[in-house]
Amino acid sequence: MLHPNSNAFTAESTKAIADPQLQEALGVLRTQSIPNRLKAANNLAEFEQLRDRARDLKDHILGHLDQYLLQFEEQVKSSGGQVHWCSDAESARQTILKLCREAGAKTVTKGKTMIGEEIGINDFLAENGIEPVETDLGEYIIQLRHETPSHIIGPALHVTKRQVEETFREHHTDLDAGRSLEEPAALMAEARAKMRHRYFEADVGITGANFLIAETGSTVIVTNEGNGDLTQMLPKMHIALTSIEKVVPTLDDAMTLLRILPRSATGQELSVYVTFSTGPRRQIDPDGPKAFHVVLLDNGRSAYLGGPMQEMLRCIRCGACMDHCPVYHAVGGHAYGWVYPGPIGAILTPALVGVENAKHLPNASSLCGRCESVCPVRIPIPKLLRHWREEEFTRAITPATQRTGLGVWAWFAQRPAMYRLAARWSMRILRWSAGARGRFKSLPLAEGWTRHRDFPAPQGKTFQDQWRARSRR
Amino acid sequence: MPSAVQAKPPGGQKRVALFVTCLVDLFRPSVGFAAVKLLEQAGFTVEVPEAQTCCGQPAYNSGDRADAQAIARNTIAAFEGYDYIVAPSGSCGGMLRCHYPELLAEDPQWAPRASALAARCYELTQFLVDIAQLDALDATFPSRVAYHDSCSSLREMNVKAQPRALLGKVKGVQISELAETEACCGFGGTFCVKFPDISNSMVERKTADIAASGADTVLAGDLGCLMNIAGKLKREGSNVKVRHVAEVLAGMTDDAAIGDAE
Ligand code: SF4
């Protein structure tokens, strides 16, 4: 996925709300994800202090990003690997293709990488005759279904267990019709059996990276299935595809973030696997790739350093903001129309694809603030959403009808006497037309409200009028 | 958290300015009178600055910063010189307390005035409990109520215990907590009309939660949420009554509930 479809958000979200399977699948967020995170957070006395530390650490890194990235590159080189600086998606794709060709690759195994989605690597490799094989269970499921991830840590979150079983039965034609795939473990075993030999066929393994450690030149991945390890250990070449804001100064700093990442993401104290990779296989190593490359993507991020949107680059991609977002609960991830959904997507997508290409996303929020209240690095998401709204307003991307309505209202709101007069008469008229019913079933100019709700009628006289009358008595 | 916690006022010396909020002014003035009654019970002199209109959130949240700033300046000017500013709304209170200082931060003349105002601004139940330390209420409301936390009360103003503590002093009230107290009701100001289907999906969840709680009345401290919830409950044909918490605390529940026929 490369071209954003985010301007279709409104239509896509309405479709999503009407999709019962999707709605069923999204239920796990409220019944599992939210309580799990809460329990994990409550079980660690210093969790809130850790969030402060993580925020401060990330701010420090973003203030010295060049320095830590250069240090990281130094260390990667000294351990025998190579860093490729890619300013945009196209240069990252070309770099990866070149590396794959050098390795003579026909098949590439892949661990989960959102940067891979950002640059559309799967389609690009396939177009160039190289088969990408997803090894993360969720990614594997959606690859079979020709879909894109709908959640940054649970790519197949939108698919119900029943649908997974159907997908497997359709694609794994040797599958015994009598075999039960009721349990998630059975689905997992089935996927593993299919995948196992592919690890050995692959010439290149591409993974993402949750962190890059400047002092050691290591890349770190956090997984629950162990697929990432096989992806990066078995092929001749390991390519870590990642972005510039993932660097941290030291191993200790990575530990700080590792204490909050799984807790925020899945409610685990630690994920099942945390894998550190430092350079290619050395003489003394029993296994590992012969070549180690880090493809480091900018894709517009550095333009936000030092500006009002910098805080979004603190994100460690835990997914907690979308798990807790009522809008995401209602529409799921695909409606957002690009790589990153939910609250972080609503601030990151306009930044990376242009606000004019994602104009609904910053507005599609009640600004309830639950995302900010759980974000492990305390990104002030509502504030950043408002920043985009201001940019839309300034650049006249906001629809003319809204701007006019707002202008008229603001004119009155700045003139209290006129405002009181307008209030007095409009409330009288509304009250009079409601009669004694107390509410409206429909109301001109308020279709957005009355499509789904009645509109409560005003009591009649405004408070201000009644108060003045009372004071005069 | 309150920055200027003061001792109980000595019998009506301190002046409170009521920021009545545009929705209460227009749609449900009885909430304003309930707030006045409660503040007077607590021993304060209540005044209602005439030059107030709206806190400016519609502009602020729509990206119209210039108008939001102009409205903020007018509001600050109208509310200077009082000991406290109290609003029967966490959302408008949050605008004055959390967002005015941010909105005017770059304006050397207005930034200190915005901060001074912010420090004296409270949501109604927060003020009654934390500042006024009101310990007795003269109200009876035999009812099973669910209290809906508005997002701004909960997350911007840190209001959660206060309305429940006050409700505990009303004779006959039994509180049934909602299962998902932290979930937004889907109002969100202009959000609810810009994205009606998403907003509906959110409020449907809220009304289902209300039904499951067994409450016969829903209360909240923000009229926006209340109109949204009442509008949905009425559309669904529910008999659950919807009121602002101030009405119950002040014992002023003779008016028809929100969205109900007279
Ligand atoms: S914005 Fe915060 S909560 Fe959302 S994915 Fe990033 S780190 Fe997690």
Side-chain angles (χ1 to χ4, degrees), chain B residues 136-159:
Chain B
L137 285 172
D138 180 22
T140 307
F141 192 65
S143 187
R144 217 166 132 186
V145 308
Y147 186 82
H148 164 69
D149 294 287
S150 82
C151 299
S152 1
S153 285
L154 193 61
R155 285 182 273 267
E156 287 185 348
M157 300 295 271
N158 292 317
V159 173

Side-chain angles (χ1 to χ4, degrees), chain B residues 212-236:
Chain B
S213 76
D216 54 53
T217 306
V218 190
L219 303 175
D222 275 90
L223 194 53
C225 313
L226 288 165
M227 289 176 70
N228 179 42
I229 294 170
K232 189 66 201 176
L233 285 168
K234 299 302 130 183
R235 180 63 60 93
E236 290 170 340

Side-chain angles (χ1 to χ4, degrees), chain A residues 152 315-321 344 375-377 379 381:
Chain A
I152 59 172
C315 177
I316 55 172
R317 303 285 189 270
C318 71
C321 55
I344 182 64
C375 173
V377 286
I379 300 177
I381 296 171

Side-chain angles (χ1 to χ4, degrees), chain B residues 66-150:
Chain B
D67 276 324
Q69 285 167 331
I71 295 168
R73 287 191 195 99
N74 284 354
T75 308
I76 293 168
F79 281 83
E80 276 170 331
Y82 295 94
D83 296 303
Y84 301 104
I85 298 96
V86 175
S89 158
S91 170
C92 313
M95 181 69 184
L96 270 59
R97 182 142 111 202
C98 307
H99 299 294
Y100 278 10
E102 185 275 326
L103 201 48
L104 297 168
E106 323 266 82
D107 184 332
Q109 200 198 331
W110 284 89
R113 294 171 72 178
S115 305
L117 183 93
R120 287 180 283 112
C121 175
Y122 298 88
E123 184 270 347
L124 177 66
T125 62
Q126 176 181 49
F127 182 78
L128 293 173
V129 172
D130 298 350
I131 304 300
Q133 292 165 20
L134 188 66
D135 42 33
L137 285 172
D138 180 22
T140 307
F141 192 65
S143 187
R144 217 166 132 186
V145 308
Y147 186 82
H148 164 69
D149 294 287
S150 82

